[in-house]
Amino acid sequence: MPGIALVGTQWGDEGKGKVTDLLAEKTDLVVRYQGGNNAGHTIVVEGERYALHLVPTGILYPHCIPVIGPGVVVNPSVLIEELDTLEERGIETGRLLLSGNAHLIMPYHLELDRVTERRLGKNRLGTTKRGIGPAYADKATRIGLRVQDLLDPKIFSAKLEVALKEKNLLLTRVYGRLPLEQKEIEGDYLAFADRLGPHITDTDRVVQGALDEGKTVLFEGAQATLLDLDHGTYPFVTSSNPIAGGACAGAGVGPRDIEQIIGISKAYCTRVGTGPFPSEADPADGEILVEAGQEYGTTTGRKRRCGWFDVVGARFAARLNTLTELVITKLDVLSEFERIKVCVGYSYEGKRYDHMPPNQTIFNKCRPIYEELPGWSQDITGARSLEDLPKEARSYLEMLENLVDTPISWVSVGPSRDQIVRLQGAP
Ligand code: IMP
């Protein structure tokens, strides 16, 4: 089973880190294929908690090679800081491979992310303000700087000059900010080159070579399906393609290289930032989910919006990613409720939608159609097999499996590695 993609099926923060941890033992390479340090993967390994933003989770396992693929946008100072922090905690980081084709997040990207959000006011996206969107925009307009440019000071300087001329006009004339200095950026970035140089390589060849040798490669998605630039709830999305198809472009492999596609979903649903969220819970239930699920962002610390499992969204994600299986996380959080809602469809102007509505006007205004199930109101954090779960919890899982039409392989019932229920067909 050489190529495995791990994707979020909701709006991110589904607990992908825990699944990587479960798969780590049999994984040789872990490849990030999109996004940047807007992500936050929390992993608990041998009782130690790590919050990673840019470095692939494979760094935590000495036998794994962590790879940052060409589809990622890299803030080099954040990367160096993350590597330093890991080294201080005794994690060897020399094995990290960084694609020379990955684009760099530059200081003006951060500045532009901030000022654009401010200008948008109540229409803002609620970005992580890490410069992600502006960096991908420059990549698309072909004035981006890439990791490999760090290795050639002349090219770096020439490309920076072109980009900075335009950015400084924007910053000073449109946003009334001070211009950024070429020399200062150059000084900082070329110093980063010394540190990152040994990691920079042609990662496409490394990943392809590993697949050819039958090694197991895990393509680690950041963010999630409903935040996908092309298929998510645009414009309230991120600027890359977290879906499984994005792994091909962002890691440099072909569709046939990926054989197993694992979708991760919380037993309920959360979203950070603005944008439509049909199954968002009422404030009282939302607050219970926030507290029981500790729903605060790993990257920004923001409180997440919480709601009920959305079958329409999950079905959409199952098809779009061609999921081979579903992992349900944080089932234990629902133990707080006597009754549990599941959003089984949407309604808009008297019409029922069992699939994603065809346009955003409907999606923005649709109402959830709920089915209610009895809760189990008991601690399930000690469950290790399906039989250990109360019958109400089993019925809940069965309902999700049937409605999403995808087999559930694992169910997580707590944060630590062993708090997992393996179902039939689990990897
Ligand atoms: P950006 O990716 O910083 O441009 O933010 C765009 C949208 O994606 C915002 O709604 C963010 O809250 C959301 N977002 C970005 N990264 C994550 C993540 O790792 N988890 C959840 N939401 C995210």
Side-chain angles (χ1 to χ4, degrees):
M1 195 60 77
I4 306 173
L6 199 66
V7 295
T9 62
Q10 299 167 321
W11 280 286
D13 312 309
E14 293 91 351
K16 295 182 280 288
K18 173 151 180 185
V19 182
T20 321
D21 185 46
L22 291 167
L23 293 170
E25 212 170 290
K26 63 171 201 175
T27 302
D28 300 297
L29 270 78
V30 177
V31 189
R32 271 284 305 268
Y33 57 88
Q34 46 72 228
N37 61 308
N38 49 347
H41 287 146
T42 309
I43 302 214
V44 182
V45 181
E46 283 159 16
E48 289 277 315
R49 187 177 177 280
Y50 299 89
L52 298 171
H53 299 285
L54 184 56
V55 176
T57 51
I59 198 88
L60 302 174
Y61 310 96
H63 67 278
C64 273
I65 298 181
V67 179
I68 296 180
V72 176
V73 283
V74 177
N75 181 328
S77 84
V78 170
L79 178 55
I80 291 170
E81 203 180 303
E82 211 163 284
L83 292 176
D84 285 348
T85 309
L86 286 165
E87 285 283 346
E88 276 162 26
R89 294 182 69 180
I91 307 284
E92 190 276 318
T93 63
R95 345 187 279 291
L96 174 84
L97 302 180
L98 171 59
S99 168
N101 289 348
H103 276 248
L104 291 169
I105 295 181
M106 306 296 291
Y108 42 81
H109 293 141
L110 294 164
E111 187 74 2
L112 284 168
D113 205 353
R114 279 193 288 264
V115 290
T116 313
E117 281 286 275
R118 212 172 299 148
R119 177 175 58 81
L120 286 170
K122 70 174 183 23
N123 295 320
R124 71 186 182 282
L125 304 180
T127 74
T128 59
K129 299 198 180 81
R130 302 295 193 264
I132 306 296
Y136 276 114
D138 279 2
K139 171 177 174 173
T141 51
R142 290 153 294 177
I143 57 161
L145 277 84
R146 295 190 292 173
V147 166
Q148 60 181 288
D149 297 328
L150 292 171
L151 305 175
D152 187 334
K154 254 172 89 180
I155 292 243
F156 184 89
S157 181
K159 288 189 176 178
L160 178 61
E161 200 180 332
V162 172
L164 196 57
K165 209 176 256 174
E166 181 202 282
K167 303 304 172 192
N168 274 342
L169 278 175
L170 249 180
L171 287 172
T172 56
R173 303 251 178 108
V174 178
Y175 294 107
R177 311 289 297 173
L178 291 172
L180 301 180
E181 292 296 331
Q182 165 118 6
K183 281 276 156 281
E184 210 171 300
I185 300 177
E186 246 174 61
D188 289 346
Y189 274 62
L190 295 175
F192 298 148
D194 292 339
R195 173 70 201 279
L196 295 179
H199 298 279
I200 302 172
T201 189
D202 177 356
T203 59
D204 291 15
R205 268 173 60 86
V206 175
V207 175
Q208 290 161 7
L211 287 164
D212 290 345
E213 284 171 32
K215 292 193 169 147
T216 301
V217 178
L218 184 66
F219 300 95
E220 180 174 57
Q223 294 83 48
T225 302
L226 299 175
L227 288 172
D228 186 273
L229 179 61
D230 292 293
H231 305 279
T233 50
Y234 189 89
F236 303 101
V237 294
T238 193
S239 298
S240 63
N241 294 110
I243 57 169
C248 295
V253 298
R256 285 192 292 145
D257 285 321
I258 304 176
E259 294 180 15
Q260 189 182 0
I261 302 171
I262 306 176
I264 320 294
S265 180
K266 274 180 194 162
Y268 49 100
C269 197
T270 65
R271 150 159 231 180
V272 276
T274 41
F277 182 178
S279 67
E280 188 161 17
D282 63 43
D285 285 343
E287 207 46 48
I288 295 174
L289 288 167
V290 167
E291 286 316 313
Q294 279 303 292
E295 295 296 351
Y296 297 93
T298 317
T299 301
T300 59
R302 288 182 290 178
K303 197 195 247 194
R304 297 177 183 138
R305 298 158 64 194
C306 291
W308 303 104
F309 189 92
D310 182 344
V311 169
V312 182
R315 221 185 265 141
F316 173 75
R319 178 62 191 89
L320 185 60
N321 293 294
T322 55
L323 296 183
T324 54
E325 64 206 78
L326 196 59
V327 173
I328 300 291
T329 60
K330 294 185 131 177
L331 184 67
D332 53 304
V333 171
L334 292 183
S335 303
E336 300 290 321
F337 294 92
E338 277 176 20
R339 299 204 59 82
I340 295 170
K341 290 183 185 171
V342 179
C343 172
V344 293
Y346 305 146
S347 76
Y348 176 70
E349 292 187 339
K351 188 171 171 207
R352 181 182 170 123
Y353 291 85
D354 291 314
H355 295 280
M356 275 291 182
N359 70 56
Q360 63 171 19
T361 309
I362 302 174
F363 189 66
N364 282 346
K365 294 188 182 153
C366 66
R367 307 285 311 149
I369 299 171
Y370 286 123
E371 270 185 31
E372 272 194 31
L373 277 80
W376 43 91
S377 302
Q378 59 176 281
D379 183 6
I380 57 166
T381 55
R384 296 294 176 268
S385 71
L386 200 55
E387 295 69 46
D388 295 339
L389 289 172
K391 73 172 186 328
E392 294 84 357
R394 292 202 303 265
S395 304
Y396 182 67
L397 294 172
E398 205 176 309
M399 177 177 178
L400 302 192
E401 195 169 61
N402 288 336
L403 290 175
V404 182
D405 196 19
T406 305
I408 296 174
S409 55
W410 275 326
V411 179
S412 165
V413 291
S416 56
R417 184 183 272 181
D418 65 323
Q419 287 179 304
I420 197 86
V421 172
R422 277 188 159 76
L423 276 73
Q424 243 180 352

